[in-house]
């Protein structure tokens, strides 16, 4: 079957996510020079709107890089060679923290859990008590590769009770999909990026630091990501290096939209969407990867027996122009992931679930049309 004419491409990945037209067109209308009063005003407005979103004491920094750049900047600026750190991991992205810390010659302790579960709080406590020299603890808000969410507040509490280590969270696929409050959660460093819930193109990453984290900046050599230099420059209204100007202009439109809707309403929608999508998968007799701690921005589903995992995502994309994410690392070919992160609305997901129903039937797994879609609609009634 050739793809039908007029089929529209739809993204159902946990990043990049669909970009609203108003965000895309803002820089086309007008792109100011980055060393101008107009740009400084917009840049500072973005930092202060983001500060409201994450509830930080200090305005976050805007970096020109993908999300991993912000993770690297955190490790580079907050650890020194030989420092003991703890990495809590349960999937591909947690392993990324571990790998960056190793590359920067930290002494890395880990608390791990199998893909699909979350690490045990008791094991985190034990690791902290056994290794009192630990200076920083790294983990994810949402482990995007398995679609589970770590209990940030509980983990932060256990760290605070047993250690004075910095608490460093990759909230790249967590922010906006879940309620987040840096000060209430006692998080010291938070990283997030443009292409997830903010619905922008990739290219900007953000780093929020608590006063304690600012005091804890290490003496490593660094250049592009020197956060002290960045903060001095950004407090005047522009990054040291040329920023992704167009993305900053789009970001301002996005953040004004987020403010108008409200972060509570946004997180609440993500929770409802995730729950409705899980209901649809179960109605289609598909098994979820996780049994609890479900992420609100992405759902991971096991590939049913008898179907080739890669063929499933390929068929969705080639026949129905619906881009779902596959599995990563040991989960490659074993799961598919549906992103419902950012500016995805209730009707978009009907198209996604319908594309999945067509695909399952095409690939020989007979499901009654509307089974998933109907369950999803009833859940959102
Ligand atoms: C998307 C994502 C990243 C960032 O990856 P980049 O490709 O560098 O933008 C990091 N951590 C998590 C949990 C993510 O979901």
């Amino acid at each position: 079957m050739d793809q039908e004419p007029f089929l529209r491409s739809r993204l159902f990945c946990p990043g990049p996510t669909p970009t609203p037209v108003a965000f895309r067109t803002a820089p086309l209308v007008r792109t100011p020079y980055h060393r101008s009063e107009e740009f400084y005003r917009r840049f500072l407005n973005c930092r202060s709107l983001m500060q409201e979103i994450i509830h930080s004491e200090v305005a976050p920094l805007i970096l020109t890089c993908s999300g991993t750049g912000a993770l690297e900047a955190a490790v580079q600026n907050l650890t020194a060679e030989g420092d003991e750190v703890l990495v809590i991991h349960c999937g591909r992205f947690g392993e990324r923290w571990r790998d960056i810390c190793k590359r920067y010659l930290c002494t890395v302790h880990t608390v791990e859990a199998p893909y699909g579960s979350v690490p045990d709080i008791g094991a985190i406590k034990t690791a902290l008590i056994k290794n009192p020299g630990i200076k920083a603890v790294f983990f994810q808000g949402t482990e995007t590769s398995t679609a589970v969410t770590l209990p940030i507040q509980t983990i932060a509490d256990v760290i605070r009770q047993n250690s004075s280590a910095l608490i460093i969270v990759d909230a790249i696929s967590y922010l906006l999909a879940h309620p987040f409050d840096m000060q209430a959660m006692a998080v010291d460093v938070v990283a997030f990026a443009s292409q997830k819930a903010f619905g922008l193109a990739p290219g900007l990453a953000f780093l929020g630091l608590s006063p304690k984290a600012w005091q804890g900046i290490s003496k490593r050599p660094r250049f592009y990501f020197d956060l002290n230099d960045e903060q001095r420059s950004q407090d005047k209204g522009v990054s040291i290096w040329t920023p992704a100007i167009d993305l900053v202009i789009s970001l301002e439109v996005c953040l004004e939209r987020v403010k108008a809707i409200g972060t509570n309403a946004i997180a609440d929608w993500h929770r409802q969407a995730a729950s409705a999508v899980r209901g649809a998968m179960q109605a289609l007799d598909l098994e979820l990867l996780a049994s609890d701690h479900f992420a609100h921005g992405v759902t991971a589903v096991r590939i049913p027996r008898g179907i080739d995992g890669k063929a499933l995502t390929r068929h969705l994309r080639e026949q129905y122009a619906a881009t779902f994410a596959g599995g990563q690392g040991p989960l490659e070919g074993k799961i598919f992931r549906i992103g419902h992160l950012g500016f995805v609305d209730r009707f978009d997901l009907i198209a996604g679930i319908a594309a999945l129903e067509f695909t399952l039937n095409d690939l020989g797994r007979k499901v009654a049309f509307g089974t998933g879609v109907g369950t999803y609609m009833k859940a959102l009634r």
Side-chain angles (χ1 to χ4, degrees):
M1 179 172 79
D2 291 328
Q3 205 177 68
E4 68 197 60
F6 312 125
L7 200 53
R8 240 179 333 110
S9 289
R10 294 178 166 90
L11 274 181
F12 299 101
C13 331
T17 64
T19 303
V21 173
F23 302 177
R24 235 179 236 293
T25 52
L28 301 180
V29 176
R30 182 171 163 66
T31 304
Y33 175 53
H34 65 289
R35 306 208 183 272
S36 67
E37 290 306 322
E38 180 189 351
F39 188 81
Y40 298 163
R41 189 162 34 75
R42 291 176 183 274
F43 191 88
L44 289 169
N45 188 33
C46 286
R47 289 185 70 210
S48 106
L49 288 166
M50 277 193 302
Q51 181 174 4
E52 283 177 38
I53 291 173
I54 64 171
H55 301 275
S56 59
E57 222 172 310
V58 186
L61 299 175
I62 301 176
L63 305 172
T64 301
C65 55
S66 87
T68 307
L71 306 186
E72 172 154 3
V75 173
Q76 204 182 37
N77 282 265
L78 292 153
T79 69
E81 193 173 322
D83 275 1
E84 282 185 76
V85 302
L86 175 66
V87 176
I88 300 167
H89 67 85
C90 54
R92 274 306 245 205
F93 289 97
E95 290 164 10
R96 187 170 299 177
W97 271 137
R98 180 199 63 196
D99 295 345
I100 299 170
C101 288
K102 284 193 174 165
R103 194 69 72 91
Y104 277 92
L105 304 173
C106 296
T107 301
V108 181
H109 302 281
T110 60
V111 170
E112 309 169 25
Y115 278 53
S117 355
V118 301
D120 179 54
I121 302 298
I124 297 170
K125 181 173 172 180
T126 307
L128 291 165
I129 292 171
K130 237 175 73 187
N131 306 288
I134 288 172
K135 293 227 174 102
V137 183
F138 296 87
F139 58 98
Q140 268 63 36
T142 290
E143 173 48 70
T144 321
S145 68
T146 62
V148 300
T149 285
L150 284 74
I152 298 181
Q153 183 74 73
T154 311
I155 295 175
D157 287 347
V158 84
I159 297 169
R160 283 275 168 270
Q161 284 154 16
N162 296 284
S163 157
S164 58
L166 291 173
I167 301 173
I168 303 183
V169 179
D170 165 358
I172 295 179
S173 62
Y174 181 94
L175 199 69
L176 294 182
H178 299 256
F180 181 81
D181 184 321
M182 191 168 172
Q183 289 181 78
M185 289 171 158
V187 165
D188 291 303
V189 180
V190 60
F192 47 108
S194 54
Q195 81 273 27
K196 301 288 168 97
F198 292 98
L200 298 167
L204 292 180
F206 312 97
L207 213 44
L209 276 73
S210 69
K212 179 177 165 184
W214 280 113
Q215 305 263 304
I217 299 277
S218 70
K219 293 205 161 50
R220 274 185 201 284
R222 55 199 157 229
F223 192 75
Y224 188 78
F225 287 130
D226 191 299
L227 298 185
N228 278 324
D229 290 353
E230 263 313 325
Q231 196 193 31
R232 265 191 296 280
S233 174
Q234 295 202 10
D235 284 351
K236 294 186 200 127
V238 66
S239 50
I240 315 178
W241 324 116
T242 312
I245 303 172
D246 286 22
L247 279 174
V248 173
I249 300 308
S250 295
L251 177 68
E252 190 182 28
V253 178
C254 164
L255 295 173
E256 296 286 7
R257 173 90 57 94
V258 167
K259 183 178 172 136
I261 303 170
T263 50
N264 289 338
I266 294 174
D268 207 47
W269 153 250
H270 280 83
R271 183 183 51 73
Q272 290 177 52
S275 167
V277 166
R278 289 196 302 276
M281 295 305 111
Q282 284 161 328
L284 288 167
D285 218 8
L286 297 171
E287 198 191 336
L288 302 172
L289 175 67
S291 49
D292 49 21
H293 292 99
F294 300 114
H296 295 171
V298 55
T299 297
V301 184
R302 289 187 197 276
I303 302 285
R305 209 187 299 279
I307 289 187
D308 172 356
K310 290 217 175 120
L312 180 107
T313 47
R314 192 184 325 117
H315 193 88
L316 278 159
R317 192 175 54 248
E318 288 178 358
Q319 294 302 327
Y320 301 111
T323 300
F324 283 48
Q328 296 170 294
L331 292 175
E332 198 177 328
K334 300 210 168 87
I335 59 164
F336 67 88
R337 292 172 299 150
I338 308 175
H340 27 82
L341 185 59
F343 293 83
V344 172
D345 78 7
R346 62 166 63 211
F347 299 106
D348 295 331
L349 287 165
I350 289 178
I353 298 166
L356 180 64
E357 291 187 9
F358 279 126
T359 296
L360 289 169
N361 278 289
D362 294 346
L363 298 182
R365 186 185 163 100
K366 299 300 166 201
V367 298
F369 286 133
T371 308
V373 169
T375 304
Y376 166 90
M377 288 176 71
K378 280 182 211 126
L380 288 184
R381 181 173 45 203

